[in-house]
Every structure is written in structure tokens, then in C-alpha cells.
Amino acid sequence: MTDSTRRAVIFSAGGAGLAAVLSACSGGDSTATSEAAPADGQAAAGGGEIAKTSDIPVGGGKVFKDQDVVVTQPEAGTFKAFSATCTHKSCPVGSVANNEIICPCHGSRFSAKDGSVTNPPANKPLAEKKITVSGDSITLA
Ligand code: FES
């Protein structure tokens, strides 16, 4: 049980995630995190990062409902972000496939490149959101 649990943790957590878990457990020992913390001390911990670039498939994307953002990668190395609220009747969009953002409610589709409508009933584009890609980290601006 402990072996399989440990393996699951190692395989499911990235370096940062594992470090966060370990530092949370160690309580009070902040020396390990001080050199990795950004100068303003807020960007990494404040929820600025929404995804790793490796989380976003080329031609696809990922919906972050809590942040109302869908992040796409229409071409390798090009990342875009849009509001995840459908402009038709405000359902959250559900998925991204073949460079289209799909709303499950009534079938509207939007371009993963610029948010424009590719299939009605929606008739307004998804609003673009500003993101910054730094290394393998995607943050909301
Ligand atoms: S709310 Fe998205 S298609 Fe109607």
C-alpha cells in the first residue's frame, strides 16, 4: 500500500506540486522555498499560473471553469485564452477539439485561434483573455 501510494504521488505530482506538498507537510521550514520564490512572492502562490504548457494539447485545449478560462494551443507553441462562458446562453464551454471550442448546451463552436463563432447558435465571439507563457508555465495576466 505504501509503495503504490508513493508511486502514485511521484507519478502524479510535478516537481512544483511535490515540493508544495512536502513543504506543506513540513510546516514552518521555509528555507527550501525561499530561493525558488519569485521576487514579489505572489505570482507562484497567488493562483497566477493556470496551467503548464504540457497540459494543453496542440489543436486542443483545456477548460478551467473556476477561472472562467479556456486555454488553447492552435499551433505548436502558440497559446491562446478565451472566456469559457458561451456567448449564446452563458453555459460554460465544455471541451476543445480540432481547434474548436465546443459548447455542450446547444452546439455552438468557436475558433480556438481567435474565439470567433464557427458554428451557431452563438453569434458573438468568445472574449479573448490575456495570458503570459514563461518557460513551461501559463499565467493569467
Ligand atoms: S449556451 Fe452555448 S450553445 Fe447555447
Side-chain angles (χ1 to χ4, degrees), residues 4-19 21 52 55:
S4 63
T5 305
R6 191 174 344 153
R7 226 174 297 142
V9 169
I10 290 169
F11 280 114
S12 66
L18 188 57
V21 169
K52 296 288 186 191
D55 295 336

Side-chain angles (χ1 to χ4, degrees), residues 41-95:
Q42 203 172 8
E49 179 180 291
I50 52 172
K52 296 288 186 191
T53 54
S54 56
D55 295 336
I56 315 298
V58 177
K62 197 165 177 188
V63 179
F64 300 90
K65 281 188 185 163
D66 289 350
Q67 290 97 338
D68 184 33
V69 172
V70 53
V71 178
T72 65
Q73 187 177 187
E75 294 166 18
T78 300
F79 295 89
K80 298 279 188 171
F82 305 94
S83 165
T85 301
C86 180
T87 57
H88 177 228
K89 300 276 185 192
S90 300
C91 282
V93 297
S95 58

